[in-house]
Amino acid sequence: TDVVVTQDEAVARTFQRMVESSCVFVNCSVRLSDGYTFGLGAEVGVSTKKGPLRGPVGVEGLMTSKWVLKGKGHCAADFVSGESIYIHEKKCVTCGLQVREN
């Protein structure tokens, strides 16, 4: 997880595009890096290994996700108290357009 705190929108966009982490946050707490936060449910295990791959692997197994969070100073407590809610949108990493699931 990599985080930048900035008021400059151009810096934020460049940071989001250039950083190669799976979690890229702008103006929010690293404590939001959690499976529940991302709408995935509880985490059962986390692996930081890059391979080797085992068994038959389809396209889904070869792809990774990049989670981009944009906040205004948000921290985990804001969501626990109900002050803020999670909004999950799947977007294209290349163009930023929202991806619709069928």
Side-chain angles (χ1 to χ4, degrees):
T1 301
D2 285 294
V3 178
V4 66
V5 176
T6 182
Q7 293 180 352
D8 188 329
E9 193 62 34
V11 169
R13 280 193 306 272
T14 301
F15 181 79
Q16 290 170 341
R17 189 176 61 253
M18 301 301 289
V19 172
E20 293 187 10
S21 295
S22 61
C23 298
V24 181
F25 296 174
V26 176
N27 298 332
C28 54
S29 170
V30 294
R31 290 191 61 212
L32 295 172
S33 181
D34 180 68
Y36 177 77
T37 305
F38 299 146
L40 302 173
E43 297 170 3
V44 242
V46 176
S47 173
T48 58
K49 292 184 178 182
K50 294 189 179 212
L53 301 174
R54 297 178 53 188
V57 177
V59 174
E60 286 288 322
L62 296 174
M63 301 190 65
T64 60
S65 296
K66 181 173 183 175
W67 299 90
V68 179
L69 273 65
K70 294 184 346 185
K72 294 180 180 175
H74 291 94
C75 64
D78 296 336
F79 297 90
V80 173
S81 69
E83 182 179 326
S84 298
I85 60 167
Y86 299 114
I87 299 173
H88 300 101
E89 296 177 330
K90 199 171 204 176
K91 293 191 174 186
C92 176
V93 176
T94 307
C95 67
L97 293 175
Q98 188 169 355
V99 176
R100 299 196 185 270
E101 306 239 0
N102 295 336

